[in-house]
Amino acid sequence: MGHVEIPESDISGPVGLAGAPRPRTTASRNRTVAPERVWSTPTTVERDHAERPPAKKSSGPRVPFLVVTDLLGLGVPAWLVLRAGDQPGPLAAGASAALVWTGVRAARGRYERRLPGEAPGAARASSGDWLVLVGLLAVLLAVTGGGLDPAAAVAALVPGLAVAVLAGIAGGLRTAGRRGARRVLVVGEAAGLDRAVRLLNSREDHPYTAVAVVPVGPAAPDCGTPVTGRLAPRPADDDASTVLGGAFAHDADLVLVAPGPQLDDDRLRRLAWGLHDGGLALCVLSDLSGVAAARVRPASAAGLTLLHVAPPLRRGPQAVLKTVVDRAGAALGLLVLAPLLLTVALAVRLSSPGPVFHRQIRHGRHNRPFTMWKFRTMVADAESRREQLSAANESEGPMFKMRRDPRVTRIGHALRRTSVDELPQLLNVLRGDMSLVGPRPPLPEEVSHYDERELRRLAVRPGLTGLWQVSGRSDLSWQETVSLDLWYVDNWSVVTDMGLLARTVRAVTDGRGAY
């Protein structure tokens, strides 16, 4: 029978939701519940907040702040553009456009609080809102007979769209970085439960923290998280009360269920009834891993819940836009950073004998080799000395990693820590061999050891930065690096790239994992 295990308690045996012992009786033993049996809700339990730390309040932006951002972000630039273009009534037109814009955003639910990871992409959502705004203002101009030039009016609205997209990206990054926003109780069989807990608690790019587990069946979990109860292999009357008691004991505000043979559809449905009646949110873990939420669209058919998965982006407008952003960004970067590049080149040349640049053959998109450029950070004969250091390799995969590599020069340590040695790869981006964002380009000898899964990293152009850069760089294991790259390969978008570029600045400043 399922029961709640209260830590540091002298009470043994089954424990009720209010903490009182329950006697073991024949009626309380495990038994299969017939599907046609009428469901009875568990006893209502009041959560004792006085003995527990208060739940963390959401640090997300408030609705008034979002409204003011949209009003000023569209109204002020629109007024300035219309005024510069000598359009009639620029102040009234800008104010009207800002009010309509805010109304559109409110009507489409942009100010509602959403679950983490549930909100639509910033660019896609804002672009749709903006098109609705343009249509409404066009109708308004036609009805009122305003004297604004249509081209000038549309141009005046463009800055507001840019502000909304940037605000959406910033809000998404802030949400992704908010560790501990949801306290999660994980329910499931030991294998699925262990996997879910380890993945949730090993990463900090999401707002979920597994605080306790309730295993199903006799197998013991091995995730190192407190076990606050246990469900029997077969359905029992107290399934919901056991889970509710465990959630309340650890102040969890979300139950994550990993379905399995012992937690079938009917048992999960009855558990959901009990949890929802008890005021607790429920989330069901899908076996569909490595797919971004934006690619998944739920649907219903014949009583079944279907998940439509969109294919990864390989061509189309976003692919064209990515190429344009890559080339333009690389050209602008080379122009702006020219003084820094010249200074670093001089420092490398004077600090140790050898060339300024280090050129290597790397493999890019579709496994095509290309020459990658970077500032030299090692002694001139570093490649010939690598074989001597093979025993000191700290990587379990095909890559060579060594935290204190004796081949690295004195200035090379500084360049690697700040990632300045990678800046010449802007030339590779300008040529089209690389992208600003993507997986790191591997060496030919590394590719020769790739399996089918690892070869998928080469389905897109390699990048100057990427998920590996903002997630720990060389501190990551080989399997963690591959998992991050595969997620990017299947789920990239222009908005994702913009967010990763913004996070790269913080990662480079921090310097962790760079050696």
Side-chain angles (χ1 to χ4, degrees), residues 3 57 77 91 154 184 196 269 276 283 292 297 358 361 409 451:
H3 62 276
K57 294 183 180 181
L91 182 59
V154 172
V184 180
R269 181 165 55 252
H276 290 157
C283 181
R297 180 174 57 86
H358 177 64
I361 299 298
T409 63
D451 56 22

Side-chain angles (χ1 to χ4, degrees), residues 437-455:
V437 182
R440 285 302 293 157
L443 293 164
E445 55 265 30
E446 295 171 1
V447 176
S448 65
H449 294 92
Y450 278 8
D451 56 22
E452 182 180 4
R453 173 174 176 264
E454 293 160 345
L455 279 173

Side-chain angles (χ1 to χ4, degrees), residues 277-301:
D277 289 343
L280 203 59
L282 173 67
C283 181
V284 180
L285 180 66
S286 169
D287 290 332
L288 194 64
S289 300
V291 178
R295 292 176 54 207
V296 180
R297 180 174 57 86
S300 297

Side-chain angles (χ1 to χ4, degrees), residues 299-496:
S300 297
L304 301 173
T305 300
L306 311 179
L307 297 178
H308 290 263
V309 182
L313 293 172
R314 292 292 182 265
R315 55 182 63 88
Q318 288 219 52
V320 174
L321 181 58
K322 180 180 176 70
T323 300
V324 172
V325 171
D326 284 342
R327 302 292 177 87
L332 181 61
L334 288 171
L335 182 63
V336 172
L337 298 174
L340 174 63
L341 298 176
L342 291 174
T343 302
V344 173
L346 183 62
V348 172
R349 186 68 182 88
L350 296 177
S351 63
S352 63
V356 171
F357 297 104
H358 177 64
R359 293 179 293 178
Q360 265 186 334
I361 299 298
R362 299 287 183 120
H363 281 231
R365 187 182 183 187
H366 303 320
N367 209 8
R368 294 171 184 162
F370 69 96
T371 301
M372 188 186 78
W373 291 68
K374 63 186 299 185
F375 284 120
R376 180 175 59 84
T377 58
M378 292 185 173
V379 295
D381 60 342
E383 292 295 330
S384 61
R385 293 169 56 181
R386 176 175 169 176
E387 191 65 30
Q388 304 171 11
L389 302 171
S390 58
N393 185 15
E394 300 176 11
S395 172
E396 81 281 9
M399 289 192 299
F400 181 86
K401 292 181 183 179
M402 191 174 177
R403 191 174 297 272
R404 293 179 177 83
D405 197 323
R407 302 172 297 168
V408 179
T409 63
R410 190 169 186 178
I411 193 174
H413 284 289
L415 295 179
R416 288 185 169 210
R417 180 172 178 79
T418 58
S419 297
V420 172
D421 62 317
E422 309 285 355
L423 290 180
Q425 291 162 34
L426 289 170
L427 292 169
N428 293 113
V429 177
L430 194 60
R431 292 181 54 185
D433 297 326
M434 295 177 61
S435 173
L436 291 176
V437 182
R440 285 302 293 157
L443 293 164
E445 55 265 30
E446 295 171 1
V447 176
S448 65
H449 294 92
Y450 278 8
D451 56 22
E452 182 180 4
R453 173 174 176 264
E454 293 160 345
L455 279 173
R456 188 168 175 79
R457 299 174 72 227
L458 305 178
V460 298
R461 287 190 182 91
L464 184 63
T465 185
L467 272 173
W468 63 275
Q469 177 85 1
V470 302
S471 304
R473 290 190 269 185
S474 295
D475 285 340
L476 298 173
S477 68
W478 170 245
Q479 289 304 323
E480 288 173 334
T481 301
V482 172
S483 296
L484 289 173
D485 286 343
L486 291 182
W487 189 95
Y488 178 83
V489 166
D490 287 340
N491 300 292
W492 78 268
S493 67
V494 173
V495 174
T496 301

Side-chain angles (χ1 to χ4, degrees), residues 3-7 185 193 211-215 220-230 246 250:
H3 62 276
V4 180
E5 298 171 0
I6 304 297
L185 174 72
L193 183 149
V211 296
V213 298
V214 176
D222 187 30
C223 55
T225 304
V227 177
T228 189
R230 183 179 295 275
H250 290 268

